[in-house]
Amino acid sequence: MIVDFHTHSLASDGALSPEQLLVRAKEAGVTRFAITDHDTTAGYDAVKDSKEAREVGLISGVELSCKWATTTIHVIGLGFDASAPSMMAMVSQLTEARQQRAEKIASRLEKVGISGALHGARNRAGDSQIGRPHFAGWMVDNGCVSSITEAFDKYLGAGKPGDVKMFWPSISDVVGAITESQGAAVLAHPLKYKLTGMKLRALVNDFKAAGGVGLEILNGRQPPVDLKRLVQLADAAELIPSVGSDFHRDFEYGPKLGVDADRLPVNHYIWDALESFQ
Ligand code: AMP
Ligand code: MN
Ligand code: MN
Ligand code: MN
């Protein structure tokens, strides 16, 4: 079975419209699908009632930003009621947080000699949920850097001036919002946070204590050794596996849409369990 429970559209930092994403999912043979934009369900909302949505088995999705100690963490919500008051309140809180954060990123960039970033990034974002990729894109167009990678390496990545996380809610707040909206909370890409084994176990414990139920064992293109480690982690923590491409755009070395779940060493997935959270 080909599935994908982690994808981005133009509503956040993806390159394709939600409609285009559904077409691509269908072409890839996807039969269970989620659009998980950063801190918004606008992409999902726009296509949820379409024929294409039914064809690819679309369910609600979102990737919420939060803070755990000094680390920014992403939590995927699946199968929730997108019109539930707690989800709507969380998305509007995060929309506001992203606006304030954008101002802070721009003022930090100003201090290192890059001016006009707020206007530039806002222009690029348009109606999309504004994020660091919009700053990075503007910096490339503007000639400050020669690639998106360089923009992150020098200015926006972890520990750089544009790495602003003070506006994010806590992990228990975002997991709570998903759970209260009858959805399943999944810890996204656990190895991307570069935590030590001990800290990662502490994160998983806190995530579970907040009501988290799933763990992403496969995120895009990932080394086989990571899959093994994440399957073990999910098993040990009694978290239910989820998988996704984290597709943002077509890119030679990037992930393709769709994951063949039958090829993985797991026989019970979050999508089989979703009804029990509703
Ligand atoms: P934000 O949601 O504003 O914190 O931005 C994070 C997003 O930036 C991630 O979801 C990725 O899509 C993108 N990103 C993070 N690091 C990099 C990088 N080194 N190169 C390109 N894109 C990145
Ligand atoms: Mn992204
Ligand atoms: Mn993420
Ligand atoms: Mn993502």
Side-chain angles (χ1 to χ4, degrees):
M1 183 164 72
I2 314 287
V3 302
D4 204 328
F5 288 87
H6 191 154
T7 65
H8 295 271
S9 80
L10 266 177
S12 64
D13 57 355
L16 303 182
S17 68
E19 290 82 3
Q20 287 171 318
L21 259 189
L22 294 184
V23 170
R24 297 288 292 274
K26 194 177 167 191
E27 284 168 4
V30 171
T31 54
R32 305 259 183 117
F33 193 55
I35 298 173
T36 55
D37 279 307
H38 297 286
D39 307 322
T40 177
T41 61
Y44 163 76
D45 292 337
V47 296
K48 67 180 173 25
D49 297 321
S50 64
K51 173 169 131 301
E52 291 74 18
R54 277 192 301 281
E55 287 170 350
V56 299
L58 186 76
I59 62 162
S60 60
V62 72
E63 180 172 19
L64 299 178
S65 311
C66 62
K67 200 169 49 181
W68 180 77
T70 55
T71 309
T72 299
I73 302 291
H74 287 170
V75 175
I76 299 273
L78 296 174
F80 51 86
D81 170 6
S83 63
S86 45
M87 179 55 67
M88 298 204 22
M90 180 48 71
V91 165
S92 70
Q93 181 186 333
L94 281 162
T95 302
E96 178 58 29
R98 279 188 174 268
Q99 291 298 334
Q100 290 181 8
R101 173 180 179 250
E103 289 172 25
K104 185 77 183 170
I105 292 173
S107 76
R108 291 225 190 136
L109 290 176
E110 185 92 43
K111 286 191 185 124
V112 295
I114 297 169
S115 50
L118 186 59
H119 183 74
R122 278 193 174 147
N123 254 345
R124 279 190 79 93
D127 293 332
S128 313
Q129 190 67 286
I130 193 165
R132 286 177 288 171
H134 301 111
F135 280 89
W138 171 79
M139 287 165 93
V140 172
D141 283 359
N142 195 34
C144 305
V145 290
S146 55
S147 67
I148 298 280
T149 306
E150 190 186 341
F152 273 90
D153 286 351
K154 283 195 178 156
Y155 299 107
L156 301 166
K160 304 296 169 190
D163 175 27
V164 177
K165 49 200 161 224
M166 65 223 239
F167 299 103
W168 298 142
S170 72
I171 193 163
S172 65
D173 283 351
V174 300
V175 171
I178 295 166
T179 308
E180 282 165 27
S181 321
Q182 284 81 52
V186 176
L187 183 62
H189 43 64
L191 300 182
K192 279 203 182 166
Y193 311 120
K194 310 249 180 273
L195 299 170
T196 61
M198 219 167 90
K199 280 209 168 155
L200 182 54
R201 281 191 295 278
L203 167 65
V204 165
N205 282 342
D206 288 355
F207 173 72
K208 275 200 79 166
V213 290
L215 185 130
E216 207 170 59
I217 57 156
L218 182 78
N219 176 273
R221 301 185 74 169
Q222 134 185 328
V225 49
D226 285 3
L227 176 69
K228 201 170 164 214
R229 193 172 160 204
L230 289 170
V231 169
Q232 281 169 357
L233 183 65
D235 227 25
E238 297 184 345
L239 287 170
I240 309 169
S242 183
V243 297
S245 64
D246 211 351
F247 178 85
H248 284 71
R249 69 197 65 250
D250 289 312
F251 172 55
E252 196 183 348
Y253 307 107
K256 305 283 168 261
L257 214 69
V259 176
D260 185 353
D262 297 331
R263 286 176 43 190
L264 301 174
V266 167
N267 48 35
H268 181 62
Y269 284 107
I270 195 85
W271 50 94
D272 300 315
L274 274 178
E275 273 173 22
S276 63
F277 304 110
Q278 289 160 0

